[in-house]
Amino acid sequence: MLTELSEPTITLTATEQVNLSVNGAPKQLDLLPWVSLLDALRDYAGLTGTKKGCDHGQCGACTVICDGKRILSCLTLAVAKDGSEITTIEGVAPEGGLHPLQKAFIEHDAFQCGYCTPGQICSAIGLIREGKAKSRTEVKELMSGNLCRCGANSNIIDAIMEVQNQSAHE
Ligand code: FES
Ligand code: FES
């Protein structure tokens, strides 16, 4: 005799309200709990400057600054950062101006396609704030999580060293 199988019960997960301060402006987002910070910024907050490269923590394209520290937004759940201050590439410089690293990247020809550049700059801002990397070798090592497929790495290090040296003399 055949027994009738009952339909599986589907439970829809509720969204959660996540409050962030993004580039100084409050953002209240209703997000499913598994939405990454990267997707929250790009798809819900409309800030597409932060790039999705690998989405697996391997390329650094998604780097943003969270409460003063550089993080990989693709590996971070947005709900876990409720109440945090996030700075993306759109917010690193004063309105209408450029951050010293953005200027240095232009001067040193430190990008080609530019896809990795937002993550490189956010990571470099975090690195300089950390105050750890003083030599070219240290900067290279501590920026090794940010990959440039175009091969602009050596010019990127030149640009970071210039700003690093400027900050040391301020
Ligand atoms: S997109 Fe996050 S590390 Fe590649
Ligand atoms: S400038 Fe093209 S990936 Fe870095």
Side-chain angles (χ1 to χ4, degrees):
M1 186 177 111
L2 284 175
T3 334
E4 210 170 284
L5 291 174
S6 57
E7 289 285 318
T9 316
I10 298 171
T11 313
L12 293 175
T13 310
T15 56
E16 305 224 7
Q17 195 177 84
V18 180
N19 292 292
L20 300 171
S21 164
V22 185
N23 302 327
K27 293 269 178 202
Q28 199 175 71
L29 306 171
D30 285 313
L31 302 171
L32 287 163
W34 54 79
V35 172
S36 69
L37 180 60
L38 173 60
D39 288 343
L41 291 169
R42 288 181 55 86
D43 300 338
Y44 295 83
L47 293 165
T48 53
T50 306
K51 297 294 183 262
K52 185 183 281 198
C54 63
D55 210 18
H56 282 88
Q58 291 168 348
C59 72
C62 65
T63 307
V64 297
I65 302 162
C66 174
D67 297 327
K69 294 198 172 138
R70 52 189 173 146
I71 61 163
L72 296 176
S73 60
C74 73
L75 291 188
T76 306
L77 291 176
V79 289
K81 292 299 169 191
D82 187 35
S84 294
E85 280 187 31
I86 311 289
T87 306
T88 67
I89 191 66
E90 289 93 340
V92 296
E95 207 171 326
L98 290 176
H99 186 280
L101 275 162
Q102 290 174 308
K103 288 187 196 154
F105 267 58
I106 294 168
E107 280 158 20
H108 288 272
D109 206 10
F111 52 89
Q112 290 177 41
C113 77
Y115 198 78
C116 69
T117 313
Q120 299 277 6
I121 288 178
C122 286
S123 196
I125 290 172
L127 168 98
I128 290 172
R129 272 203 201 135
E130 285 160 25
K132 285 186 257 172
K134 298 294 176 208
S135 69
R136 193 179 171 86
T137 310
E138 286 171 337
V139 169
K140 204 170 162 187
E141 175 62 26
L142 291 178
M143 286 296 294
S144 62
N146 290 77
L147 303 177
C148 177
R149 292 182 182 93
C150 297
N153 292 301
S154 122
N155 296 5
I156 290 170
I157 306 302
D158 290 344
I160 296 173
M161 284 310 293
E162 181 183 300
V163 177
Q164 175 85 283
N165 291 336
Q166 281 166 10
S167 339
H169 292 107
E170 276 168 13

